[in-house]
Amino acid sequence: MFPWELINSQEEIQSFGESARLSAYKDNRFNSKRDDKKVLKEIEFLNLNKFKNINFNETEYICEGVELARRLVAAPPNSLTPLEMSRQASKIAKDHGLEIKILEKNECEDLGMGAYLAVAKGSDLEPKFIHLTLKSKSPVKEKIALVGKGLTFDSGGYNLKVGASQIEMMKYDMGGSAAVLGAAKALGAIKPDGLEIHFIVAACENMINGSAVHPGDVIKASNGKTIEINNTDAEGRLTLADALTYASNLKPDSIIDLATLTGAIVVALGNDVAGFWTNNNMMAKDLKTASSQAGEELWQMPLQKSYKDGLKSHIADMKNTGPRAGGSITAALFLEEFFDKNINWAHIDIAGTCWTDKNKGIHPSGATGYGVKTLVQWIKNKR
Ligand code: TOD
Ligand code: ZN
Ligand code: ZN
């Protein structure tokens, strides 16, 4: 029996509904139970007289966003390819009236996206650069860009993932883009007023073939900066370099990027807490508020300027990989090179939180859908 007297607000009862639904989530798409009926059909609340006119519509939209993110992350890499991700984005656009642009490889070449395309080169699958736009009916007060790392598989490239690196789990390396597309679905349904929101994913695979990038190659990103690729497994930041440059060119007020970027964040914070970095104190405060309302744990990490030295290259403007120590911090410092300094920016490293092997109640073991709720809440708090 749940102690109902502890529930004192609409938000609390909505969170309760959200938790009930999300903890009952099951994914039988890839086994022979695939035709089974849904396990949870209806949640009935009794004795809610003290709350008049509770609306569960938004709760439902948010759950659908989280569930989409979970499905995208859990889908194996032969199913969720860059092309399939672009199709999923098109479906969101069609269902909720967003604008969509899918840039093909040649269009990315024309934009000079040498960092993103260097990663995609070693795969037989075409990269797909996805850009969804949610417009506002009323005049735009604020422009926002949400950017997600979208590696549908990360083999490591020639710096192949060996030993205990869990190469067989690397379908989850698109967890950031799953959160961004999940948020696009939820926000497409919620339609927040006065905001123009861009959802950006540079989707591709990090694979090995005869044309794959070599460790040691020097490439040029779309903002003109050159990068020595000293480790092909630090590919996420390369795709984000061009995605962030693209986002920056849209002149948004703020950018949030989410990425399963580093093992170092897992060492630092474990699997229950994501790390974030920001160049703006207000953004730090707002993100902490949103994540605590959403029930997704988030901890601020430092943009330690002295660690920038770790990215110095003898041949190019920078290397893509710094020393092992502070690895998630140098990753954030690398990203900071690819957008206009006047834009408020936050980077969330979800390498630890996007997947769980434990059954944690609200998220059954597997993909968690981490990030969707915080992003949506952060945007809802702007109303
Ligand atoms: C790294 C910069 C990126 C890579 C990350 C990835 C690591 C893994 C697990 C601790 C390593 O040992 O090489 C680390 C540290 C736990 N690897 C990473 O962090 C090469 O997993 O591939 N990102 O795209
Ligand atoms: Zn990698
Ligand atoms: Zn990766």
Side-chain angles (χ1 to χ4, degrees):
M1 188 56 195
F2 192 82
W4 293 105
E5 59 278 7
L6 293 180
I7 293 191
N8 291 311
S9 69
Q10 297 223 9
E11 287 75 28
E12 282 168 4
I13 193 74
Q14 284 164 335
S15 299
F16 188 79
E18 192 177 282
S19 306
R21 171 163 167 174
L22 290 176
S23 53
Y25 171 83
K26 278 251 172 359
D27 181 4
N28 287 320
R29 287 171 300 164
F30 300 96
N31 62 36
S32 36
K33 286 195 237 150
R34 69 183 73 86
D35 297 322
D36 280 8
K37 292 267 176 309
K38 281 196 178 140
V39 282
L40 180 72
K41 217 167 147 193
E42 204 174 291
I43 303 170
E44 190 174 350
F45 289 99
L46 305 172
N47 241 333
L48 283 185
N49 316 342
K50 63 172 167 173
F51 307 108
K52 299 276 173 260
N53 314 317
I54 287 200
N55 188 338
F56 284 101
N57 288 346
E58 283 193 3
T59 312
E60 190 164 339
Y61 300 149
I62 292 167
C63 289
E64 274 162 16
V66 174
E67 287 169 356
L68 172 65
R70 288 178 181 181
R71 284 196 302 274
L72 293 172
V73 169
N78 60 341
S79 166
L80 192 91
T81 59
L83 173 62
E84 178 56 23
M85 179 125 70
S86 72
R87 288 185 178 137
Q88 296 282 333
S90 302
K91 183 165 180 343
I92 297 168
K94 191 161 156 268
D95 290 350
H96 302 289
L98 284 78
E99 287 175 14
I100 184 157
K101 211 153 64 175
I102 312 277
L103 304 183
E104 301 298 332
K105 188 171 97 185
N106 62 312
E107 296 169 278
C108 296
E109 276 163 4
D110 292 346
L111 291 172
M113 294 185 175
Y116 167 45
L117 293 173
V119 177
K121 266 199 326 174
S123 169
D124 290 344
L125 305 182
E126 288 286 303
K128 301 283 171 184
F129 190 101
I130 301 162
H131 175 195
L132 286 160
T133 309
L134 180 59
K135 291 256 166 95
S136 162
K137 284 210 185 71
S138 54
V140 176
K141 284 178 286 183
E142 207 177 320
K143 240 164 98 170
I144 291 160
L146 304 177
V147 179
K149 172 176 170 182
L151 267 289
T152 62
F153 186 71
D154 178 11
S155 73
Y158 275 99
N159 292 95
L160 185 63
K161 288 187 182 290
V162 292
S165 58
Q166 290 223 292
I167 189 171
E168 74 284 0
M169 287 307 300
M170 287 304 144
K171 64 178 184 183
Y172 84 50
D173 213 21
M174 34 58 68
S177 59
V180 165
L181 293 181
K185 183 172 170 63
L187 293 165
I190 294 170
K191 301 195 193 307
D193 221 29
L195 302 175
E196 181 177 298
I197 313 175
H198 297 267
F199 305 89
I200 295 160
V201 179
C204 67
E205 282 192 316
N206 186 21
M207 298 289 280
I208 298 176
N209 64 21
S211 22
V213 70
H214 315 85
D217 277 359
V218 174
I219 52 89
K220 192 193 269 183
S222 45
N223 69 346
K225 294 191 182 174
T226 61
I227 304 162
E228 177 190 1
I229 301 181
N230 59 323
N231 188 331
T232 62
D233 195 12
E235 84 302 331
R237 61 193 75 181
L238 295 171
T239 66
L240 289 170
D242 285 326
L244 287 168
T245 300
Y246 182 94
S248 180
N249 289 338
L250 300 169
K251 308 232 169 289
D253 299 283
S254 37
I255 301 177
I256 300 183
D257 78 74
L258 291 94
T260 49
L261 207 61
T262 66
I265 200 67
V266 190
V267 173
L269 300 177
N271 293 108
D272 293 348
V273 186
F276 83 97
W277 289 256
T278 178
N279 59 3
N280 180 277
N281 289 334
M282 202 58 193
M283 192 118 168
K285 190 169 157 283
D286 291 348
L287 265 176
K288 283 180 205 166
T289 305
S291 75
S292 112
Q293 288 170 294
E296 293 180 323
E297 309 268 6
L298 198 52
W299 190 261
Q300 187 171 6
M301 304 284 289
L303 282 167
Q304 181 63 35
K305 293 290 173 298
S306 57
Y307 294 175
K308 265 216 164 131
D309 282 357
L311 293 172
K312 273 195 180 143
S313 164
H314 292 293
I315 183 169
D317 292 328
M318 67 193 109
K319 297 191 292 194
N320 74 330
T321 315
R324 216 182 167 87
S328 60
I329 299 174
T330 41
L333 292 169
F334 179 92
L335 298 180
E336 226 189 346
E337 298 293 322
F338 297 95
F339 51 85
D340 191 312
K341 292 282 174 294
N342 297 316
I343 300 173
N344 301 330
W345 161 78
H347 155 61
I348 309 182
D349 195 335
I350 61 167
T353 54
C354 114
W355 187 271
T356 176
D357 293 321
K358 288 183 288 183
N359 205 327
K360 282 189 205 146
I362 178 157
H363 29 72
S365 69
T368 59
Y370 185 98
V372 174
K373 291 199 287 170
T374 297
L375 288 176
V376 173
Q377 189 64 49
W378 178 71
I379 292 201
K380 276 178 39 166
N381 289 350
K382 293 182 179 294
R383 303 201 269 228

